[in-house]
Amino acid sequence: MKQHILLSLIAATALTGGAPITASAADAPLYTVVDGTKVDPDTLTGFKTWRAAACDRCHGPNQEGLVGPSLVESLKTLTKDEFKATVTNGRLEKGMPSFGTNVKVVDNLDKLYAYLKGRSDGKITAAKVTGIE
């Protein structure tokens, strides 16, 4: 296995003319979780955004639904683009307000998605998280 990886790196280096090989943003993990409740700084910001926007009033303190649907379940099928559209535009007919003018939410939309996706994926095991130390 190590030999295969080494040969792949050598071939890739040859293709790039010796230029360094870097991971693209698409290769970067969406979130990092340790022990189920310790998360990377961006995901922690997503949690703080969740709290600041008071999303728990409708989606419940554990994102498992209340008046609004369970985001733990919804994010199993909702794409990132669909999530962003829902948060920024709302779904007024279903009672979901628009957060498109909420600067904190809009500026941290990717981080909020990462936090909620981690909950949906079961990697973040409790609603309240802290930073990785």
Side-chain angles (χ1 to χ4, degrees):
M1 182 67 156
K2 288 181 184 178
Q3 186 177 23
H4 174 72
I5 293 170
L6 181 59
L7 290 173
S8 294
L9 285 173
I10 291 169
T13 303
L15 288 173
T16 62
I21 302 167
T22 57
S24 69
D27 295 333
L30 186 57
Y31 52 80
T32 302
V33 184
V34 175
D35 297 332
T37 59
K38 296 176 185 143
V39 297
D40 63 275
D42 284 345
T43 304
L44 183 59
T45 298
F47 165 70
K48 290 177 180 179
T49 301
W50 163 268
R51 296 290 304 257
C55 302
D56 59 323
R57 290 183 300 171
C58 294
H59 295 286
N62 297 310
Q63 299 86 34
E64 295 172 342
L66 202 56
V67 178
S70 166
L71 297 179
V72 170
E73 291 304 315
S74 294
L75 267 78
K76 291 183 186 317
T77 57
L78 204 61
T79 68
K80 188 175 185 179
D81 288 339
E82 291 168 334
F83 169 80
K84 287 179 164 187
T86 299
V87 173
T88 56
N89 301 327
R91 287 188 180 165
L92 299 179
E93 72 283 359
K94 294 185 176 188
M96 171 71 182
S98 166
F99 286 88
T101 59
N102 183 315
V103 176
K104 183 168 182 74
V105 171
V106 172
D107 287 351
N108 293 298
L109 207 47
D110 288 331
K111 297 169 186 176
L112 176 60
Y113 177 79
Y115 165 69
L116 293 171
K117 189 65 175 155
R119 289 284 293 137
S120 178
D121 292 346
K123 303 297 183 189
I124 299 174
T125 57
K128 185 175 181 181
V129 294
T130 58
I132 297 171
E133 296 179 20

